[in-house]
Amino acid sequence: NADTAMYRAKDAGRNNFQFYAHEMNSRALDRLKTETGLRRALERGEFVVHYQPQMDVATGRVIGAEALLRWELPGQGMVFPADFIPIAEETGLIVPIGQWVLRHVCEQKRKWHDAGWFPDLRIAVNLSARQFKQQDIARAVSQVLQETGCRPEWLELEITESVVMESPEAAAETLHKLSTMGVHLSIDDFGTGYSSLSYLKRFPLDALKIDRSFVRDVTVDADDAAIVRAVIALAHSLKLSVIAEGVETADHLDFLRAQQCDAVQGYHLGRPMPVDKFEHFMRESK
Ligand code: C2E
Ligand code: MG
Ligand code: MG
Ligand code: MG
């Protein structure tokens, strides 16, 4: 409580403590603003989804797209996930927000299907820790698929390595439910956490996504190159496909192609784009 904090600050008569109390107060205020803002954003429809293409390295075809959330805050422009996802996660608002993303993406995919557009395009949606740990996440996903007429195989769910490895037994159960439905599953930001290989083997996964921190210097840093090669080999020996994120240059792509990486995603191919720009990109890329 700010008043108490200020009172005690006065009591203590120390400037640094007063400063500290003020800091706490304004940070709490910021958080409150964002939390209220996020609630309002959902009600007022301020969220938009951008799509970033994913390319099959061998054929050069766009085989998928990752759905990435943006917040268009009136008067302030676009807010990126790094500035609101952590608060959404902390407050639990990520659950309704994530639900909105999933529904929105499934509706979009269904529209494309009905128009006969991009039939082979699978859309990847990020699942947050809170969402993944929800009691009835598989049922929630299944319900959205049913209500939107989106087929499970059109959808891929990305879960980060740290989330599945936090409690692997529970994660295995959830992953099996989702996989049985026919939804594709991938591990996001692979290499940044600690994976138990015995669990990795038991999870019904389709793909590993190599974190972009390993890709950035892959052509100049021998350690990063070794890690990327090892992840590709690991994925293939587990019969998983492997996709590299953060592919920004032709050199990155050449390296990854030489190492038999299956797919790539990154600025070199295309940035995350609003839906109309993405549709244009897809028509041009054929
Ligand atoms: P992520 O799932 O690992 O997504 C990839 C991030 O890398 C995206 O950042 C994307 O714009 C960025 N990126 C793609 N290619 C390149 C590249 O070549 N170079 C560089 N430097 N960056 C690249 P973004 O869109 O800011 O999203 C950040 C994170 O926020 C995502 O990381 C994901 O963890 C989270 N996020 C985004 N949308 C959602 C969502 O709908 N739900 C949840 N739970 N999390 C989301
Ligand atoms: Mg992702
Ligand atoms: Mg990622
Ligand atoms: Mg990442």
Side-chain angles (χ1 to χ4, degrees):
N1 177 295
D3 285 337
T4 324
M6 289 312 288
Y7 173 77
R8 278 201 272 113
K10 253 190 257 162
D11 221 29
R14 284 173 58 186
N15 287 330
N16 59 344
F17 189 63
Q18 230 163 13
F19 177 71
Y20 178 71
H22 176 258
E23 273 275 284
M24 290 290 286
N25 193 18
S26 75
R27 214 186 300 155
L29 208 64
D30 268 356
R31 203 192 101 132
L32 191 66
K33 266 198 243 161
T34 311
E35 187 176 341
T36 310
L38 285 171
R39 265 181 225 288
R40 241 182 249 148
L42 262 179
E43 285 158 17
R44 297 181 182 172
E46 293 168 1
F47 287 118
V48 287
V49 172
H50 283 199
Y51 297 88
Q52 184 177 34
Q54 300 175 328
M55 184 184 79
D56 181 276
V57 173
T59 64
R61 292 189 54 122
V62 177
I63 47 162
E66 180 171 5
L68 294 158
L69 187 60
R70 305 289 182 253
W71 178 11
E72 279 179 353
L73 191 55
Q76 294 197 43
M78 201 159 73
V79 187
F80 285 84
D83 291 326
F84 66 86
I85 294 271
I87 293 162
E89 183 84 28
E90 219 180 289
T91 56
L93 279 169
I94 192 66
V95 173
I97 292 171
Q99 185 78 0
W100 179 87
V101 174
L102 187 63
R103 181 173 296 272
H104 182 84
V105 164
C106 288
E107 279 168 358
Q108 183 60 66
K109 177 60 199 177
R110 177 61 204 265
K111 277 185 215 162
W112 284 332
H113 174 80
D114 289 349
W117 292 357
F118 330 137
D120 304 324
L121 189 79
R122 179 176 297 132
I123 314 292
V125 172
N126 292 285
L127 277 196
S128 79
R130 280 280 263 266
Q131 261 184 301
F132 184 72
K133 284 187 254 177
Q134 251 180 290
Q135 241 338 286
D136 51 353
I137 180 64
R139 198 191 302 163
V141 171
S142 158
Q143 194 177 338
V144 170
L145 290 171
Q146 249 173 40
E147 287 171 10
T148 57
C150 180
R151 293 187 199 147
E153 64 269 23
W154 295 341
L155 183 68
E156 177 160 319
L157 296 175
E158 297 188 1
I159 305 109
T160 62
E161 186 181 25
S162 47
V163 168
V164 291
M165 289 301 165
E166 190 186 311
S167 48
E169 294 286 355
E173 204 182 310
T174 304
L175 292 172
H176 271 102
K177 281 189 200 155
L178 291 166
S179 164
T180 304
M181 284 162 44
V183 171
H184 284 239
L185 298 169
S186 57
I187 299 295
D188 205 353
D189 303 342
F190 191 80
T192 59
Y194 299 92
S195 268
S196 152
L197 296 183
S198 59
Y199 277 112
L200 207 55
K201 188 182 72 178
R202 286 173 39 198
F203 291 156
L205 301 170
D206 296 280
L208 299 184
K209 294 193 79 176
I210 304 178
D211 191 69
R212 69 168 191 263
S213 59
F214 303 111
V215 175
R216 192 182 50 224
D217 299 325
V218 78
T219 56
V220 290
D221 184 317
D223 294 334
D224 286 340
I227 290 168
V228 168
R229 273 195 213 98
V231 173
I232 294 171
L234 172 68
H236 287 164
S237 68
L238 293 173
K239 308 248 173 348
L240 304 177
S241 89
V242 59
I243 172 163
E245 46 178 38
V247 175
E248 294 186 349
T249 66
D251 285 349
H252 286 160
L253 179 57
D254 289 343
F255 177 90
L256 292 159
R257 181 185 287 116
Q259 302 305 321
Q260 321 284 317
C261 186
D262 301 292
V264 290
Q265 175 183 343
Y267 297 167
H268 179 64
L269 174 67
R271 291 190 175 245
M273 300 167 236
V275 66
D276 51 339
K277 217 176 148 200
F278 179 73
E279 288 171 349
H280 182 75
F281 173 92
M282 285 301 290
R283 280 193 221 99
E284 299 284 293
S285 78
K286 271 209 216 132

